[in-house]
Short mmCIF file of all heavy atoms in Angstrom, two decimals:
data_model
loop_
_atom_site.label_atom_id
_atom_site.label_comp_id
_atom_site.label_asym_id
_atom_site.label_seq_id
_atom_site.Cartn_x
_atom_site.Cartn_y
_atom_site.Cartn_z
N HIS A 55 4.33 -54.43 -46.75
CA HIS A 55 5.75 -54.05 -46.80
C HIS A 55 6.57 -55.12 -46.10
O HIS A 55 6.68 -55.13 -44.88
CB HIS A 55 5.98 -52.69 -46.15
CG HIS A 55 7.38 -52.17 -46.33
ND1 HIS A 55 7.70 -50.82 -46.29
CD2 HIS A 55 8.57 -52.81 -46.54
CE1 HIS A 55 8.99 -50.66 -46.48
NE2 HIS A 55 9.55 -51.86 -46.62
N HIS A 57 10.24 -57.86 -46.57
CA HIS A 57 11.43 -58.31 -47.30
C HIS A 57 11.62 -59.77 -46.91
O HIS A 57 12.23 -60.10 -45.90
CB HIS A 57 12.65 -57.46 -46.95
CG HIS A 57 12.45 -56.01 -47.25
ND1 HIS A 57 12.58 -55.48 -48.51
CD2 HIS A 57 12.06 -54.99 -46.45
CE1 HIS A 57 12.29 -54.18 -48.48
NE2 HIS A 57 11.97 -53.86 -47.24
N LEU A 77 8.82 -55.53 -50.90
CA LEU A 77 9.22 -54.21 -51.45
C LEU A 77 10.73 -54.08 -51.61
O LEU A 77 11.31 -53.08 -51.20
CB LEU A 77 8.66 -53.09 -50.58
CG LEU A 77 7.14 -52.87 -50.68
CD1 LEU A 77 6.70 -51.68 -49.85
CD2 LEU A 77 6.72 -52.67 -52.15
N PHE A 104 15.22 -52.75 -55.78
CA PHE A 104 15.15 -51.32 -55.46
C PHE A 104 15.73 -50.54 -56.64
O PHE A 104 16.88 -50.79 -57.04
CB PHE A 104 16.01 -50.98 -54.24
CG PHE A 104 15.65 -51.67 -52.96
CD1 PHE A 104 16.21 -52.89 -52.61
CD2 PHE A 104 14.79 -51.06 -52.05
CE1 PHE A 104 15.92 -53.50 -51.41
CE2 PHE A 104 14.49 -51.67 -50.84
CZ PHE A 104 15.05 -52.89 -50.51
N LYS A 148 9.40 -50.27 -57.03
CA LYS A 148 9.92 -49.63 -55.82
C LYS A 148 11.08 -48.72 -56.18
O LYS A 148 12.04 -49.15 -56.84
CB LYS A 148 10.41 -50.73 -54.84
CG LYS A 148 11.10 -50.21 -53.57
CD LYS A 148 10.12 -49.71 -52.54
CE LYS A 148 10.81 -49.27 -51.24
NZ LYS A 148 11.23 -50.38 -50.38
N HIS A 201 6.90 -46.05 -46.26
CA HIS A 201 6.83 -45.78 -44.82
C HIS A 201 6.11 -44.44 -44.62
O HIS A 201 6.28 -43.53 -45.43
CB HIS A 201 8.22 -45.61 -44.19
CG HIS A 201 9.18 -46.71 -44.47
ND1 HIS A 201 9.21 -47.88 -43.76
CD2 HIS A 201 10.17 -46.81 -45.38
CE1 HIS A 201 10.18 -48.65 -44.20
NE2 HIS A 201 10.78 -48.03 -45.20
N ASP A 260 7.44 -53.77 -42.68
CA ASP A 260 8.86 -53.83 -43.03
C ASP A 260 9.50 -55.08 -42.43
O ASP A 260 10.59 -55.02 -41.86
CB ASP A 260 9.61 -52.57 -42.59
CG ASP A 260 10.87 -52.31 -43.41
OD1 ASP A 260 11.07 -53.01 -44.42
OD2 ASP A 260 11.64 -51.41 -43.04
ZN1 ZN B 401 11.52 -52.03 -46.44
#
Side-chain angles (χ1 to χ4, degrees):
H55 187 155
H57 302 280
L77 288 184
F104 299 90
K148 174 78 177 283
H201 308 277
D260 205 9

